[in-house]
Amino acid sequence: MDKNKVEKNEQSKLHAFLTGDRLKALLPLIGFVVILLVMHIMTNGKILTPKKMRLLLSQIYYPTIVATGVFFIMTLGSIDFTEGSTLGVASIVVSALSFYSIPLAIVGGILTGALIGAVNGFFHVKFRLPSFIVTICTMYLFRGVCAYFTTETAVPASNAIKALDQDWLKITITLAVLVIAFFLFKFTRIGNDVKAVGSGETAARFSGVRTARVKFLAFVSAGALTGLAAFVNVIKVGSITATAGNQLETQILISLVLGGLPITGGAKVRFSNIVIGTLMYAVLNSGLSILGYEPQVQQLIKGIVFLVFVALTIDRKALKVIK
C-alpha cells in the first residue's frame, strides 16, 4: 500500500478515536485520574494518607448504595430528586425501630424507602407526569415529614445499632449491593429492558417491554436501596436531625454525571459510571476540604467541574426532554 495512504488511514483512525464514543467512554476514568493527581499535588500528598483515605471511603458507602438505585432510574432517561428526603424519613424509621429489633429496623427502612419510591413511580406512570416534576413535589412533601419529626429534637437511635458502626460491615453491604445490581444489569432481562426504555420508550413497548411496569419497579427499587442506605447512615451518625440527607440528591446526580452517565439514559450507560462517579466526587470533596476552601468556594468549583463534564459527555444526538 502507498505510504501516503497508510498515513492517511492512521490519521483517520486517530481522528475517529478522538471524536468518537470510545474516547467519551474513557473520559470519566481520565477525569478521575486527573482530579486525583491535581488534589494529590495541591494537598502535598495529604489526600492519599491512610487516615484520609479511610475518611474518604467512609463518605461513599451510603451514597454509593443510593446512586446504584438512581442509576437504573437515570438509565430510563428519568430523574429522581427525592433521595435526600427519602433517606431522612427512612433514617427516622430505622432509628425508632432500632430500640425493638435491628432486623426490624433494617426491614422498616427498606419498606419505607420502597413505599416512597412507589408513590413517585405511581404518579409518574399512572398520570404520565415527567419524573422531575413528580419528584420535586414529593421531595418537599417528604422533607416536610422529616422536619415534622425532628424540629423539636433529634431522633436518637439505640446503642445497639450504633455499635454496628464498623467499616467491614458498611463495605460488605455496599459491595453486596453493587455485585447484585451488576448481575441484574448485565446478565438478566432487567438491564436490557431498562436500557430499551431509555433508548426509546415507544420502540421498547412495541418490542414487548412492559414499560410502565419497568419504570414503576425502578422507582420502587431505588427507594428500597435508599432505605437500606438509611440503615448505613444511622449506624454512622447515631441520631437523625432535620438536615438528614440534605443535598443528597444533588450529590448523587453530580456523581453519576461525573462518572459518565448520560442524562438521557439509554444503551450507552455503563455500570462503572456508579463507582467512578462516587469516587471522583469523594476525592473532589475531600480535596477541597483539606485545602480549606469555604463551602461557597467548594460549591463554585464543583459547579464548574460538573458543567465541564456535562458538556464533554452529553450525547447530543439523543438529547431530549427528560422523562
Side-chain angles (χ1 to χ4, degrees):
M1 185 180 292
D2 185 81
K3 186 178 180 181
N4 290 333
K5 287 184 177 179
V6 173
E7 289 180 352
K8 285 182 179 179
N9 284 336
E10 293 299 323
Q11 289 175 354
S12 62
K13 287 180 181 178
L14 178 61
H15 181 267
F17 174 75
L18 293 174
T19 57
D21 292 338
R22 294 175 66 182
L23 178 60
K24 278 191 174 182
L26 290 175
L27 276 178
L29 184 59
I30 295 171
F32 172 66
V33 173
V34 169
I35 288 178
L36 186 62
L37 286 176
V38 169
M39 288 300 166
H40 177 69
I41 294 170
M42 292 182 70
T43 62
N44 294 320
K46 293 180 182 176
I47 196 169
L48 294 180
T49 61
K51 183 179 179 181
K52 292 296 181 185
M53 286 295 291
R54 185 186 175 193
L55 180 63
L56 187 149
L57 290 175
S58 72
Q59 296 173 357
I60 68 171
Y61 296 134
Y62 80 79
T64 302
I65 297 171
V66 177
T68 303
V70 178
F71 169 79
F72 284 89
I73 291 178
M74 290 186 68
T75 302
L76 291 169
S78 301
I79 204 162
D80 186 354
F81 289 113
T82 60
E83 291 83 32
S85 55
T86 301
L87 186 92
V89 175
S91 294
I92 291 172
V93 174
V94 171
S95 298
L97 294 178
S98 68
F99 289 95
Y100 301 95
S101 164
I102 301 300
L104 179 63
I106 297 172
V107 173
I110 292 173
L111 290 179
T112 301
L115 180 61
I116 293 174
V119 171
N120 290 333
F122 174 78
F123 280 95
H124 174 47
V125 173
K126 183 70 176 178
F127 297 99
R128 298 185 179 181
L129 297 173
S131 58
F132 71 92
I133 292 179
V134 172
T135 55
I136 283 177
C137 294
T138 53
M139 174 186 70
Y140 282 102
L141 169 65
F142 295 113
R143 179 56 64 191
V145 172
C146 184
Y148 177 81
F149 286 102
T150 55
T151 297
E152 294 186 358
T153 181
V155 178
S158 69
N159 290 329
I161 200 168
K162 286 188 280 189
L164 297 175
D165 187 17
Q166 304 290 331
D167 284 342
W168 69 266
L169 177 61
K170 291 181 283 191
I171 291 173
T172 302
I173 294 173
T174 306
L175 287 178
V177 168
L178 286 174
V179 169
I180 293 171
F182 177 76
F183 176 79
L184 293 174
F185 186 73
K186 292 289 291 184
F187 302 109
T188 71
R189 184 177 173 178
I190 293 173
N192 292 331
D193 285 354
V194 170
K195 285 187 284 188
V197 174
S199 298
E201 188 171 342
T202 302
R205 190 182 303 115
F206 281 121
S207 64
V209 178
R210 298 174 68 176
T211 56
R213 188 176 70 169
V214 170
K215 291 193 289 185
F216 178 76
L217 290 178
F219 277 93
V220 173
S221 302
L225 284 176
T226 304
L228 177 62
F231 166 71
V232 178
N233 177 53
V234 170
I235 64 177
K236 178 184 177 184
V237 300
S239 64
I240 305 306
T241 65
T243 60
N246 199 24
Q247 299 288 321
L248 179 62
E249 52 277 343
T250 308
Q251 176 183 345
I252 299 301
L253 177 62
I254 292 176
S255 296
L256 289 173
V257 173
L258 288 179
L261 196 150
I263 59 175
T264 47
K268 294 182 179 179
V269 301
R270 292 174 175 80
F271 198 80
S272 59
N273 300 148
I274 303 171
V275 179
I276 294 176
T278 50
L279 281 173
M280 196 185 302
Y281 185 91
V283 168
L284 185 62
N285 201 45
S286 180
L288 294 175
S289 298
I290 294 173
L291 291 170
Y293 288 126
E294 296 292 328
Q296 300 89 332
V297 179
Q298 292 187 29
Q299 287 190 6
L300 176 68
I301 295 173
K302 289 176 192 172
I304 292 172
V305 173
F306 182 55
L307 276 176
V308 169
F309 265 80
V310 169
L312 289 174
T313 61
I314 193 169
D315 185 359
R316 292 172 178 79
K317 293 179 181 177
L319 190 61
K320 54 190 174 184
V321 176
I322 296 172
K323 295 190 280 289

